[in-house]
């Protein structure tokens, strides 16, 4: 008994003594509850000014804490973003550059360090790093990309198919883990939603939402990629090219033939079979609800016989409705978790973060998907609440990165941040609004080309408050944007002589950042 008590209390006791400067004051380390969705754009969050959707629970975190208006990822794609989160290091150092890589799970991560310091650590939901999670007392992850209905989980090493809607299941597992946690330890819980990742399959309870709404087209919907023909114009991620089956949920007897490549010509050849397999994951009860909604859409689509821009705009409306319905489940999940914290006296001492593994295109530039260093996918939403130490109602325009999560959590837990972590702790900004010596530029590097999806060429770049310089280095193509004059990034002004000095400064800054982060373009 005494030994057990020592095992649970000793690490916390030591933390308290060491970090209270050997005084008798005992600091209680905060709990960390990190909620990350997949591909959730700021354009679809009401506290970020969205007119498309109301997200009251995400907004609640922002209102009771802080919202970042300039938060970015370092490599805008699923697996790499997760590797940056865990390690606090850029992709070239953590080794996970694109989705084909395997995460080296022997490397140091912040959950491992928190576990060592006495935290109980959990990860629930999407993992997508291919290797087995390490540093977690409890891991229940979706296998691969995961499915929206009746998903296959890997639960502490064992496969388990769970019946239901994935966002709800992840929420149930989170509450179960909170309920069963050790009450003597602080917890660190990573909750990683699959939603709203492609192919955007909503929960039946939200099928009727947005039903009669016609969403306005984004300003750049009909972008022709002038001055960016070989980069933006080369990408294969136009809504025009979405699959009628997999993306838009039409059955093959309701259209003549599949359209476009959907971002991957190899997948296109078997997309209808893939969609059928996904549809058939649903049980009879789920299919009944699904068909009750989508059969009507299939019939109307066939009858309308749409062509050209009318067909394209129909695809956009369908895409938006399903994407936003998936987000309604995410917001509902956050509300349930926040309520649990309230009801169990955990709200005050728990840091709650909501973010996404990157942004997404909701029709801007005619696109869906991510990858580019352009604003919509470079940005990630970031709201943080910690009532005990973070004043409410703050909005910060300082540049935060997903690189900063690991050092921030370690800092709050009073655990030493390893020297090779490349991000910076946000703690001083969050608690004291101290902004001295904070970064004035951010560095970006994307790698997944020519393999994989969507044909976005490799690029690196630098963004400052006012400008962005991007180098598509395999083709030696440069792009420069004036973010104040051209926030939609429609005009590449790299060759404009009036920007020669700015170009030069940004190139120097790009070199400086590459040196600092030990990266190169090749
Ligand atoms: Ca993602």
């Amino acid at each position: 008994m005494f030994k057990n008590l020592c095992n649970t209390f000793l690490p916390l006791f030591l933390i308290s003594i060491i970090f209270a400067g050997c005084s008798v004051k005992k600091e209680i380390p905060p709990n960390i509850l990190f909620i990350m969705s997949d591909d959730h754009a700021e354009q679809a969050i009401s506290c970020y000014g969205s007119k498309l959707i109301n997200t009251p629970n995400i907004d609640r975190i922002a209102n009771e804490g802080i919202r970042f208006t300039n938060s970015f990822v370092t490599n805008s794609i699923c697996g790499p973003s997760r590797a940056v989160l865990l390690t606090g290091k850029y992709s070239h150092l953590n080794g996970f550059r694109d989705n084909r890589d395997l995460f080296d799970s022997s490397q140091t991560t912040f959950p491992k360090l928190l576990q060592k310091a006495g935290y109980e650590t959990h990860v629930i939901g999407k993992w997508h790093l291919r290797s087995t999670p390490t540093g977690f007392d409890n891991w229940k992850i979706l296998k691969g990309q995961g499915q929206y209905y009746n998903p296959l989980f890997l639960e502490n090493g064992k496969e388990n198919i769970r019946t239901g809607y994935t966002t709800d299941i992840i929420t149930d597992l989170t509450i179960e883990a909170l309920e069963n946690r050790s009450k003597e330890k602080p917890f660190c819980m990573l909750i990683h939603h699959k939603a709203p990742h492609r192919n955007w399959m909503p929960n039946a309870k939200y099928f009727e939402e947005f039903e009669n709404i016609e969403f306005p087209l984004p300003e750049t919907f009909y972008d022709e990629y002038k001055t960016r023909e070989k980069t933006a114009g080369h990408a294969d991620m136009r809504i025009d090219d979405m699959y009628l089956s997999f993306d838009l949920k039409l059955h093959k007897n309701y259209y003549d033939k599949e359209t476009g490549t959907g971002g991957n010509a190899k997948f296109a050849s078997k997309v209808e079979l893939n969609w059928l397999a996904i549809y058939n994951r649903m049980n009879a009860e789920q299919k009944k609800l699904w068909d009750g909604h989508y059969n009507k859409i299939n019939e109307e689509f066939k009858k309308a016989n749409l062509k050209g821009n009318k067909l394209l705009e129909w695809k956009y409306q369908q895409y938006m409705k399903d994407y936003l319905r998936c987000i309604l489940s995410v917001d509902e999940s956050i509300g349930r978790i926040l309520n649990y914290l309230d009801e169990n006296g955990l709200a005050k001492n728990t840091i709650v973060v909501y973010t996404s593994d990157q942004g997404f295109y909701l029709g801007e530039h005619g696109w869906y998907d991510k990858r580019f260093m352009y604003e919509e996918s470079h940005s990630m939403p970031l709201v943080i609440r910690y009532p005990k130490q973070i004043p409410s109602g703050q909005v910060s325009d300082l540049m935060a990165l997903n690189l900063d999560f690991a050092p921030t959590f370690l800092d709050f837990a009073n655990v030493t941040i390893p020297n090779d972590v490349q991000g910076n702790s946000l703690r001083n900004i969050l608690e004291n609004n101290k902004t001295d010596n904070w970064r004035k530029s951010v560095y970006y590097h994307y790698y997944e080309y020519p393999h994989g999806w969507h044909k976005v060429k490799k690029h690196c770049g630098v963004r400052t408050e006012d400008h962005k310089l991007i180098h598509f280095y395999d083709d030696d193509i440069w792009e420069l944007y004036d973010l104040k004059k051209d926030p939609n990034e429609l005009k590449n002004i790299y060759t404009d002589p009036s920007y020669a000095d700015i170009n030069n400064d940004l190139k120097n800054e790009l070199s400086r950042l590459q040196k600092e982060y030990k990266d190169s373009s090749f």
Side-chain angles (χ1 to χ4, degrees):
M1 179 68 183
F2 178 72
K3 194 178 164 197
N4 284 345
L5 278 176
C6 280
N7 283 344
T8 43
F9 283 116
L10 201 57
L12 284 180
F13 177 72
L14 285 175
I15 290 167
S16 312
I17 292 298
I18 290 163
F19 293 104
C22 292
S23 77
V24 287
K25 190 183 158 200
K26 185 181 173 184
E27 268 191 49
I28 303 166
N31 302 307
I32 296 161
L33 209 149
F34 178 85
I35 309 170
M36 183 168 72
S37 56
D38 196 331
D39 298 354
H40 190 178
E42 287 178 5
Q43 307 93 285
I45 299 178
S46 39
C47 65
Y48 277 93
S50 178
K51 300 276 183 281
L52 304 169
I53 189 170
N54 193 22
T55 51
N57 294 300
I58 297 172
D59 295 6
R60 186 182 157 196
I61 300 174
N63 293 338
E64 294 174 3
I66 185 167
R67 177 171 68 91
F68 283 86
T69 58
N70 282 309
S71 36
F72 304 100
V73 292
T74 60
N75 181 0
S76 180
I77 185 167
C78 304
S81 176
R82 287 148 211 277
V84 170
L85 157 72
L86 293 174
T87 60
K89 293 177 188 170
Y90 270 90
S91 308
H92 61 282
L93 293 189
N94 70 43
F96 203 101
R97 290 178 176 79
D98 66 49
N99 279 337
R100 295 170 307 147
D101 285 320
L102 178 75
F103 184 67
D104 171 9
S105 56
S106 70
Q107 62 189 307
T108 301
T109 62
F110 82 85
K112 278 187 194 175
L113 296 172
L114 291 181
Q115 190 183 42
K116 209 182 274 182
Y119 273 73
E120 187 175 276
T121 54
H122 303 251
V123 59
I124 295 165
K126 187 163 173 178
W127 178 248
H128 207 217
L129 289 168
R130 297 183 58 219
S131 55
T132 301
T134 52
F136 294 98
D137 297 302
N138 172 38
W139 51 276
K140 292 187 172 133
I141 59 170
L142 292 165
K143 194 168 179 184
Q145 282 280 2
Q147 298 97 355
Y148 272 106
Y149 279 85
N150 307 333
L152 173 58
F153 272 85
L154 281 173
E155 301 183 356
N156 301 309
K158 287 185 189 147
E159 291 197 354
N160 187 18
I161 295 174
R162 287 181 177 264
T163 304
Y165 187 67
T166 299
T167 306
D168 295 348
I169 295 169
I170 290 169
T171 314
D172 293 341
L173 289 173
T174 300
I175 288 171
E176 186 182 292
L178 286 166
E179 199 68 21
N180 295 334
R181 76 190 195 282
S182 160
K183 305 294 189 291
E184 282 75 37
K185 290 181 170 192
F187 62 82
C188 169
M189 205 166 282
L190 310 186
I191 302 147
H192 294 179
H193 285 294
K194 176 195 170 54
H197 191 278
R198 193 183 184 185
N199 66 338
W200 318 293
M201 291 174 73
N203 190 343
K205 71 194 278 190
Y206 292 122
F207 283 161
E208 300 308 315
E209 295 289 332
F210 311 110
E211 186 67 350
N212 298 312
I213 289 181
E214 182 158 340
F215 296 104
L217 298 177
E219 277 176 56
T220 59
F221 188 73
Y222 283 107
D223 188 356
E224 291 175 339
Y225 315 116
K226 282 178 186 153
T227 68
R228 295 152 290 135
E229 290 84 355
K230 290 180 177 168
T231 54
H234 179 77
D236 180 2
M237 49 199 250
R238 294 182 50 79
I239 289 170
D240 220 1
D241 284 327
M242 275 183 173
Y243 301 121
L244 292 170
S245 56
F246 175 75
D247 291 317
L248 300 162
K249 292 92 179 180
L250 296 176
H251 291 303
K252 62 190 284 185
N253 42 337
Y254 288 88
Y255 55 83
D256 293 338
K257 59 176 183 169
E258 261 294 0
T259 54
T261 64
N264 186 330
K266 277 187 199 160
F267 191 83
S269 64
K270 52 187 179 187
V271 64
E272 286 167 332
L273 283 174
N274 265 313
W275 166 236
L276 196 60
I278 291 167
Y279 171 79
N280 281 330
R281 281 197 75 81
M282 290 188 275
N283 60 31
E285 192 186 339
Q286 291 162 340
K287 274 184 185 166
K288 195 177 165 200
L289 292 168
W290 185 272
D291 292 343
H293 176 72
Y294 286 95
N295 281 358
K296 191 171 57 168
I297 293 169
N298 272 264
E299 278 157 22
E300 284 168 2
F301 179 82
K302 191 173 182 180
K303 210 164 130 194
N305 194 25
L306 301 169
K307 306 272 186 240
N309 286 350
K310 284 206 165 131
L311 174 59
L312 168 60
E313 290 180 20
W314 178 88
K315 289 178 182 177
Y316 171 70
Q317 298 296 334
Q318 283 306 116
Y319 159 47
M320 290 307 298
K321 284 174 188 177
D322 283 348
Y323 177 86
L324 294 171
R325 286 166 182 153
C326 289
I327 290 167
L328 291 177
S329 288
V330 172
D331 193 67
E332 178 194 333
S333 164
I334 293 164
R336 281 182 63 197
I337 293 166
L338 292 179
N339 285 345
Y340 183 91
L341 298 180
D342 286 341
E343 287 158 10
N344 291 276
L346 290 165
K348 196 176 172 196
N349 198 39
T350 300
I351 299 170
V352 178
V353 176
Y354 180 72
T355 189
S356 171
D357 63 345
Q358 77 277 312
F360 212 66
Y361 296 95
L362 306 184
E364 298 88 359
H365 305 289
W367 289 333
Y368 61 103
D369 212 71
K370 53 250 180 181
R371 299 161 197 271
F372 277 112
M373 197 193 170
Y374 304 135
E375 290 294 271
E376 292 84 353
S377 50
H378 188 208
S379 301
M380 63 169 190
L382 177 59
V383 294
I384 307 177
R385 185 189 82 168
Y386 179 24
K388 192 173 155 197
Q389 276 168 254
I390 302 178
S392 63
Q394 297 185 78
V395 177
S396 174
D397 62 0
L398 292 177
M399 292 175 147
L401 287 171
N402 59 342
L403 202 65
D404 300 331
F405 287 129
T408 300
F409 296 145
L410 293 171
D411 195 3
F412 271 110
N414 283 325
V415 174
T416 307
I417 301 164
N419 287 331
D420 58 354
V421 163
Q422 297 182 309
N424 299 324
S425 169
L426 297 166
R427 186 174 179 176
N428 233 340
I429 295 171
L430 300 173
E431 286 183 343
N432 308 313
N433 202 20
K434 279 203 178 142
T435 59
D436 314 344
N437 301 321
W438 193 252
R439 66 170 73 90
K440 300 277 191 292
S441 64
V442 291
Y443 176 65
Y444 183 85
H445 199 159
Y446 171 82
Y447 300 84
E448 194 174 282
Y449 187 85
H451 319 280
W453 294 71
H454 301 297
K455 291 167 70 176
V456 174
K457 292 176 180 175
K458 290 177 193 165
H459 57 289
C460 59
V462 56
R463 187 202 192 278
T464 62
E465 189 187 342
D466 295 335
H467 298 96
K468 188 184 291 181
L469 179 75
I470 311 177
H471 190 204
F472 294 86
Y473 47 84
D474 281 346
D475 300 326
D476 198 23
I477 295 172
W478 292 85
E479 292 183 1
L480 174 67
Y481 297 98
D482 185 327
L483 298 172
K484 289 286 176 285
K485 288 187 184 160
D486 176 26
N488 287 331
E489 299 164 299
L490 290 172
K491 196 174 174 198
N492 172 18
I493 48 169
Y494 180 70
T495 55
D496 183 335
S498 64
Y499 282 87
D501 289 347
I502 288 167
N503 241 332
N504 205 31
D505 291 349
L506 287 171
K507 279 191 177 172
N508 287 337
E509 182 62 3
L510 183 61
S511 299
R512 187 190 71 77
L513 289 170
Q514 288 190 324
K515 203 169 163 194
E516 180 186 329
Y517 292 127
K518 302 182 174 65
D519 193 18
S520 71
S521 301
F522 306 100

